[in-house]
């Protein structure tokens, strides 16, 4: 399950990082290549996730866990309680008395995380960046599914069933600790435990959105491509500078790299593209393409194609939006002359260049609603 090395049984400090020696604090950071990070972060604070409770946050606030940007480190930043860290850090646990100075084996600190959107989790990252000797010895991640907007007290009630998706496992300091998750269930909340105490900089939860079909039906017209509704990137010609998943995020782009930008294409007669799976089969009514913050590197032209159920069959693709000139740093809106039924779309840009966001406005078909209900029931047991 985990790609993180276990601690030595004879050396309790085997997973420590070297003390900060000056210069770039990330120079000796131990990262990792995890396939699941291409999926959407279900705990993205920008989409509505939150750390709703923690038993202790003496040194650093729990909310830091879900900041979208990497943790920063200032070696000279101290406060009245000690070193100020960009993460969640608890105080050092103590035992019952001087003859028993260490905490018992089952003592731990915890934080409750509300996912931005419920979904099936494929992997998590427990990032201990800059926590070199004060990271937790081990972590556990538990998950549950509770409808509505439960309070921390309701989540911690005795009748709530928590499932262990990452068993108690050693982690490394100043490192990205990645864990694959195999539970085929839809979860709404997580409980992150650190044993016995310590600090964690960031917490990422990657997976597949499973939207509530009743809610989408109530809304009527929705963005069929949005990650919040279950849209996803299936493939792309280029991911050199940034992930194409950012195109279908529900928020607005805030800077140039908050979108999809590919490298410069040098082969004439070719172009870049992204293929998306919609939330389910839907009738598309209108398209928005935004090139915000992309000025000298925005796509020159764009075209949109769709298919209904068979993306592997090239002959099944049809034109939705013909090749159209785009302006840099500009939102573009296109009303379709007729509704188009599709399960997948492909966005082509010519010859290359960046896009910030795309919206695919429409309604689910009856077949699309039935497929969403089937998937929801399958993973909501």
């Amino acid at each position: 399950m985990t790609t993180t090395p276990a601690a030595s049984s004879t050396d309790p400090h085997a997973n420590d990082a070297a003390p900060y020696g000056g210069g770039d604090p990330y120079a000796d950071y131990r990262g990792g290549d995890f396939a699941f990070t291409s999926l959407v972060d279900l705990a993205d604070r920008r989409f509505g996730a939150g750390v709703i409770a923690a038993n202790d946050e003496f040194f650093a606030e729990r909310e830091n866990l879900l900041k979208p940007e990497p943790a920063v480190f200032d070696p000279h930043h101290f406060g009245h309680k000690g070193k100020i860290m960009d993460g969640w850090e608890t105080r050092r646990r103590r035992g019952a008395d001087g003859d028993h100075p260490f905490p018992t084996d089952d003592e731990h600190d915890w934080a409750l995380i509300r996912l931005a959107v419920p979904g099936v989790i494929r992997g998590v990252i427990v990032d201990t960046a800059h926590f070199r000797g004060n990271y937790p010895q081990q972590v556990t991640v538990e998950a549950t599914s509770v409808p509505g907007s439960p309070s921390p007290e309701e989540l911690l009630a005795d009748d709530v069933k928590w499932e262990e998706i990452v068993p108690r496992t050693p982690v490394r300091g100043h490192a990205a600790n990645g864990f694959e998750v195999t539970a085929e269930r839809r979860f709404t909340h997580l409980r992150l435990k650190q044993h016995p105490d310590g600090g964690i900089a960031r917490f990422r939860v990657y997976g597949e959105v499973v939207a509530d079909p009743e809610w989408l039906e109530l809304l009527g017209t929705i963005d069929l491509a949005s990650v919040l509704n279950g849209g996803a990137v299936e493939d792309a010609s280029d991911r050199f500078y940034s992930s194409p998943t950012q195109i279908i995020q529900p928020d607005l782009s805030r800077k140039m790299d908050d979108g999809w930008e590919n490298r410069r294409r040098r082969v004439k007669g070719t172009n870049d593209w992204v293929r998306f799976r919609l939330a389910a089969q839907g009738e598309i009514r209108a398209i928005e393409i935004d090139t915000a913050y992309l000025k000298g590197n925005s796509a020159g032209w764009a075209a949109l194609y769709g298919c209904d159920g068979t993306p592997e069959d090239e002959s099944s693709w049809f034109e939705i939006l013909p090749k159209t000139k785009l302006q840099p740093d500009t939102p573009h809106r296109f009303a379709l002359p007729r509704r188009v039924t599709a399960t997948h779309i492909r966005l082509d840009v010519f010859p290359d260049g960046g896009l910030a966001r795309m919206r695919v406005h429409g309604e689910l078909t009856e077949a699309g609603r039935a497929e969403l209900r089937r998937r929801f029931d399958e993973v909501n047991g």
Side-chain angles (χ1 to χ4, degrees):
M1 172 177 282
T2 174
T3 57
T4 303
S8 167
S9 59
T10 59
D11 182 4
H13 298 291
N15 287 335
D16 288 6
Y20 175 62
D24 179 7
Y26 274 105
D28 59 343
Y29 176 73
R30 293 172 287 184
D33 184 15
F34 309 107
F36 53 74
T37 58
S38 63
L39 302 172
V40 63
D41 182 0
L42 302 175
D44 194 319
R45 176 62 188 171
R46 295 169 296 182
F47 304 162
V51 187
I52 62 175
N55 72 304
D56 187 288
E57 46 188 330
F58 185 86
F59 287 114
E61 296 85 356
R62 64 182 190 261
E63 288 86 359
N64 292 329
L65 281 171
L66 303 188
K67 284 183 178 178
E69 63 275 358
V72 298
F73 180 72
D74 181 351
H76 306 295
H77 196 191
F78 286 82
H80 293 293
K81 293 182 179 180
K83 182 72 184 72
I84 295 176
M85 298 292 290
D86 186 10
W88 168 49
E89 186 180 6
T90 63
R91 74 192 80 197
R92 301 188 188 205
R93 283 184 170 269
R94 300 304 188 206
D97 52 48
D99 292 330
H100 306 87
F102 286 95
T104 60
D105 190 57
D106 62 344
E107 290 186 77
H108 62 274
D109 292 318
W110 54 265
L112 293 178
I113 293 95
R114 180 192 65 243
L115 298 180
V117 278
V120 176
I121 300 169
R122 300 303 183 190
V124 303
I125 290 181
V126 178
D127 187 350
T128 57
H130 315 305
F131 290 95
R132 296 168 176 268
N134 52 346
Y135 61 97
Q137 186 178 18
Q138 299 164 325
V139 298
T140 303
V141 182
E142 298 171 332
T144 190
S145 182
V146 179
S149 304
S151 67
E153 293 75 21
E154 291 171 318
L155 289 169
L156 296 173
D158 293 339
D159 60 344
V160 174
K161 180 181 177 182
W162 290 87
E163 180 175 340
E164 193 175 79
I165 61 173
V166 176
R168 185 168 174 172
T169 308
V171 292
R172 298 176 297 170
H174 195 45
N177 298 278
F179 303 88
E180 293 182 2
V181 176
T182 58
E184 286 290 333
R185 285 196 57 206
R186 177 183 184 267
F187 295 114
T188 61
H189 296 78
L190 300 185
R191 180 160 57 192
L192 173 61
K193 295 180 177 179
Q194 50 177 334
H195 309 270
D197 52 40
I200 297 170
R202 297 290 186 268
F203 185 56
R204 309 298 189 211
V205 183
Y206 295 98
E208 300 160 4
V209 174
V210 181
D212 183 344
E214 290 188 8
W215 177 248
L216 296 188
E217 288 181 34
L218 285 172
L219 294 178
T221 299
I222 62 172
D223 181 356
L224 294 164
S226 171
V227 294
L228 289 190
N229 297 328
V233 171
E234 287 196 330
D235 201 1
S237 61
D238 191 289
R239 303 170 186 258
F240 189 83
Y241 286 113
S242 52
S243 170
T245 297
Q246 296 189 139
I247 299 176
I248 53 175
Q249 290 183 175
D251 57 347
L252 295 176
S253 176
R254 293 173 173 82
K255 50 193 174 72
M256 191 189 76
D257 66 345
D258 188 11
W260 173 55
E261 184 187 359
N262 43 59
R263 76 192 88 188
R264 300 188 187 209
R265 184 164 283 271
R266 303 303 191 188
V267 180
K268 292 184 178 180
T270 65
N271 66 279
D272 284 307
W273 53 269
V274 186
R275 189 178 78 224
F276 303 90
R277 184 190 72 244
L278 300 180
Q281 186 190 64
E283 290 187 344
I284 304 170
R285 301 166 58 179
I287 304 292
E288 290 185 70
I289 296 176
D290 190 359
T291 57
Y293 296 101
L294 295 151
K295 298 179 180 180
N297 52 352
S298 65
W301 294 262
L304 196 67
Y305 303 89
C307 81
D308 187 17
T310 54
E312 300 82 10
D313 181 4
E314 286 297 325
S315 65
S316 68
W317 289 88
F318 51 85
E319 185 180 83
I320 297 176
L321 183 70
K323 187 185 292 186
T324 303
K325 176 69 175 175
L326 299 180
Q327 299 299 322
D329 194 25
T330 301
H332 306 75
R333 293 178 174 175
F334 305 98
L336 302 185
R338 59 180 178 83
R339 297 188 180 192
V340 175
T341 301
T343 58
H344 296 74
I345 59 171
R346 191 183 76 231
L347 176 66
D348 285 25
V349 296
F350 302 90
D352 55 29
L355 294 176
R357 296 289 187 271
M358 179 185 66
R359 316 290 188 210
V360 180
H361 301 291
E363 300 174 357
L364 294 171
T365 64
E366 184 54 44
R369 289 192 289 270
E371 173 59 22
L372 276 184
R373 285 193 292 269
R374 183 200 66 78
R375 176 61 171 156
F376 182 84
D377 293 339
E378 181 181 65
V379 296
N380 209 46

